[in-house]
Amino acid sequence: MAEELLPSPHPLTPPRSEDDWVTWFRLLRSRRVGPTTFHRLISERGTAADALDALPEVARAAGVDRYAPCPVEVAQEELRLGRLAGAVPVAFGDAAYPALLAELPDAPPVLWCLGDISLLDRRLIALVGARNSSSLGTRMAKNLAEGLTAAGFAVVSGLARGVDTAAHLASLGGGTVAVQAGGVDVIYPAENAVLAQEIGERGLRVSEQPMGMQPQARHFPARNRIISGLAQAVVVVEAAAKSGSLITARSALDQGREVMAVPGHPFDGRAAGCNMLIRDGATLVRGAADVVEALTPVADTEPRPAKIPDAAPAPRRDPPHRPLAEIAALHGQILDRLGPSPVAEDQLIRDLKAPAGEIGAELVTLELEGRIERRPGGLLART
């Protein structure tokens, strides 16, 4: 149902020149333009350059006066810092862009990559869990990572302490991908500086954030959706009842990924989240063999081809003019159905019983006005 309501993926030509990259980064780093808005603007306007040119007018129509897109100098500086760090930007639509991640409605338009980009073509399994992991949890993460890489998978995790650290260390030789909450050149936590350097040399570090960005609390849920989006399955090793690992698991479910969990003792709070996932239908994992067995139908298929980078851009389509009263009424209907608790965009469209394109255009307007915000997994909330 969601696939019928949401706009179809737009043909997108990734940047080829320095000027193209500057245009992309200017659009992406402009105020109130997130991944979903980026994709929708290009879908409506045809190219990043046309979307950038139209952005002040779109903002003005949304009631935001004196709106200025991201300055050229800021985009140029980000590219310069990326080169200094040895990082490479991979754009949505490029052959190197991971095919599974490209399926998400809020797929990052650009991934900064530092290390072996070929790992994005590997079959990836996410291993996540508690930062204050127990000795048994750390050993389990290590054994899972070693077993999965031996079976031909690569491991993706979040470079956090605890389970993430154990998973990265154990998979360095077989393939590991670290998704960072801040800039790819900013190491967090600081205690993992040596591990991060080793991953950059022998594995891959990725981030959607600008170079030099210090991680903030709001960046971690966005980071988690990339971890699950890259992977065929998410395995939770240890997690409390309310934890970031469960956010990753929820993202995985929203994205149609397999969710698995390692059971723990009922009296151990660090196992409460895993036990809840298993109770609710997650696959119980005792070792790497359980993961491989659950994914055998997926693992035996050929990888899906990446999006064709040379596809012609969509023709520019200016949004139809509508009476202001009608637009205001639709804005009111949208805001009435949104609150602090996030709602899926396709559910909102079903509730309003209006064409997806019509609702989508007004969601961009409300986002630029700052009246709604997008959450990971294609969710919307009222600010």
Side-chain angles (χ1 to χ4, degrees):
M1 178 66 71
E3 293 178 354
E4 297 174 358
L5 291 170
L6 294 176
S8 58
H10 53 82
L12 185 59
T13 301
R16 299 299 187 193
S17 66
E18 182 82 3
D19 288 344
D20 290 342
W21 278 113
V22 170
T23 300
W24 268 55
F25 277 115
R26 287 189 67 201
L27 179 61
L28 181 59
R29 305 308 184 203
S30 289
R31 185 163 51 102
R32 296 178 180 171
V33 175
T36 304
T37 301
F38 180 97
H39 291 296
R40 196 182 297 278
L41 285 170
I42 292 185
S43 179
E44 293 174 352
R45 300 290 171 172
T47 68
D50 288 339
L52 186 64
D53 289 341
L55 196 52
E57 181 58 36
V58 172
R60 193 176 302 112
V64 181
D65 294 327
R66 296 188 296 276
Y67 182 95
C70 173
V72 172
E73 296 77 14
V74 173
Q76 291 173 334
E77 179 66 5
E78 180 167 356
L79 286 167
R80 187 185 72 84
L81 292 175
R83 294 192 189 97
L84 286 176
V88 175
V90 175
F92 184 99
D94 191 279
Y97 196 93
L100 284 177
L101 192 63
E103 296 175 355
L104 306 187
D106 56 352
V110 177
L111 285 175
W112 277 109
C113 300
L114 200 159
D116 183 3
I117 296 179
S118 69
L119 287 171
L120 295 176
D121 287 332
R122 294 274 299 276
R123 296 172 295 165
L124 292 166
I125 303 296
L127 293 182
V128 298
R131 288 173 170 82
N132 62 333
S133 56
S134 66
S135 176
L136 283 174
T138 301
R139 285 167 52 194
M140 186 64 178
K142 175 178 180 291
N143 290 340
L144 282 171
E146 290 175 345
L148 289 169
T149 52
F153 293 92
V155 169
V156 56
S157 197
L159 196 59
R161 59 176 64 93
V163 166
D164 290 19
T165 296
H168 286 310
L169 284 169
S171 57
L172 266 175
T176 196
V177 178
V179 183
Q180 298 176 233
V184 76
D185 58 335
V186 178
I187 307 306
Y188 180 87
E191 66 196 60
N192 275 348
V194 174
L195 173 59
Q197 181 177 349
E198 291 180 335
I199 294 174
E201 294 170 354
R202 303 170 60 188
L204 178 66
R205 295 186 350 230
V206 303
S207 175
E208 69 174 330
Q209 299 299 335
M211 303 298 297
M213 173 66 74
Q214 294 293 328
Q216 302 173 28
R218 60 188 171 85
H219 295 148
F220 287 92
R223 184 273 311 265
N224 293 344
R225 89 174 189 301
I226 298 177
I227 293 176
S228 56
L230 286 168
Q232 292 182 350
V234 172
V235 182
V236 185
V237 178
E238 278 187 336
K242 295 181 179 180
S243 66
S245 299
L246 291 192
I247 294 176
T248 308
R250 284 194 291 271
S251 292
L253 289 172
D254 291 340
Q255 295 163 355
R257 307 297 191 257
E258 187 79 22
V259 175
M260 309 180 189
V262 175
H265 196 284
F267 290 167
D268 187 348
R270 287 169 295 198
C274 292
N275 292 339
M276 286 168 52
L277 288 172
I278 294 170
R279 179 200 63 189
D280 295 339
T283 301
L284 186 149
V285 171
R286 300 162 298 174
D290 288 338
V291 180
V292 175
E293 180 181 356
L295 293 176
T296 296
V298 175
D300 287 344
T301 61
E302 290 295 322
R304 281 164 289 187
K307 293 184 181 295
I308 301 173
D310 295 326
R316 175 171 175 165
R317 301 193 308 272
D318 291 325
H321 295 289
R322 303 169 61 216
L324 291 178
E326 185 179 333
I327 294 174
L330 181 55
H331 286 187
Q333 294 174 31
I334 293 172
L335 294 172
D336 285 345
R337 284 168 172 77
L338 293 178
S341 299
V343 175
E345 181 175 342
D346 60 312
Q347 182 61 53
L348 175 66
I349 293 170
R350 284 197 295 269
D351 291 345
L352 292 172
K353 296 182 175 59
E358 180 179 309
I359 298 297
E362 300 313 321
L363 290 176
V364 172
T365 298
L366 290 171
E367 187 175 9
L368 288 171
E369 289 178 350
R371 302 172 75 184
I372 65 172
E373 64 179 358
R374 294 188 181 274
R375 305 280 180 84
L379 302 179
L380 300 167
R382 185 171 180 173
T383 56

